[in-house]
Amino acid sequence: MTNSDYLLKAALKKVTEKLNEIVVEKIEEATNIAQDAPEILKKEFDILKESIIEEASRMEKAENIQENKSTNTYQDSKIKKALNEIEYINKQIDLFNKTINNQIK
């Protein structure tokens, strides 16, 4: 064999060894990632679940506040109506008292 044959064989051997080393390294990395994937996915799912629960709670609170405003407005109008009726009754009582006082004199 000539020197160039040895160089060619040596180059092929070293390139093959280096490629095998790289492939084994990448397979190990992929295996580690695959092993960690369920844990990573579980953490992400837990974060998403918490986020959904927080958003649902926020939406519920916002709706309750809106409902309370509607209820308060309705109650306020009922209170105003009752106060107007009480005021009307008080005026009628005052008028009645004046009438009776005028009849007694």
Side-chain angles (χ1 to χ4, degrees):
M1 261 202 234
T2 64
N3 277 344
S4 59
D5 289 338
Y6 286 116
L7 284 174
L8 186 57
K9 279 188 172 188
L12 284 173
K13 182 179 177 185
K14 289 299 178 181
V15 168
T16 303
E17 287 175 1
K18 189 63 175 173
L19 286 174
N20 284 337
E21 185 181 311
I22 291 171
V23 168
V24 167
E25 183 182 315
K26 295 303 177 186
I27 288 173
E28 287 175 356
E29 285 179 21
T31 302
N32 289 337
I33 291 171
Q35 288 173 347
D36 293 342
E39 185 177 325
I40 292 169
L41 289 174
K42 184 182 181 309
K43 285 180 184 177
E44 289 299 320
F45 181 75
D46 288 343
I47 291 169
L48 177 62
K49 184 173 72 172
E50 284 297 316
S51 176
I52 290 170
I53 290 169
E54 289 173 7
E55 182 65 14
S57 177
R58 186 197 63 76
M59 291 171 77
E60 182 180 12
K61 286 178 184 176
E63 185 175 328
N64 286 341
I65 289 170
Q66 186 62 34
E67 285 177 2
N68 285 342
K69 285 182 180 177
S70 297
T71 302
N72 287 344
T73 302
Y74 176 71
Q75 288 175 345
D76 287 347
S77 77
K78 286 183 85 173
I79 290 171
K80 285 179 185 177
K81 184 177 178 184
L83 288 174
N84 286 339
E85 289 178 10
I86 290 170
E87 186 179 336
Y88 174 76
I89 291 169
N90 282 335
K91 286 180 182 177
Q92 292 297 320
I93 290 172
D94 284 343
L95 188 63
F96 180 73
N97 283 336
K98 286 179 184 176
T99 305
I100 289 180
N101 285 338
N102 284 341
Q103 287 180 358
I104 293 177
K105 290 182 183 178

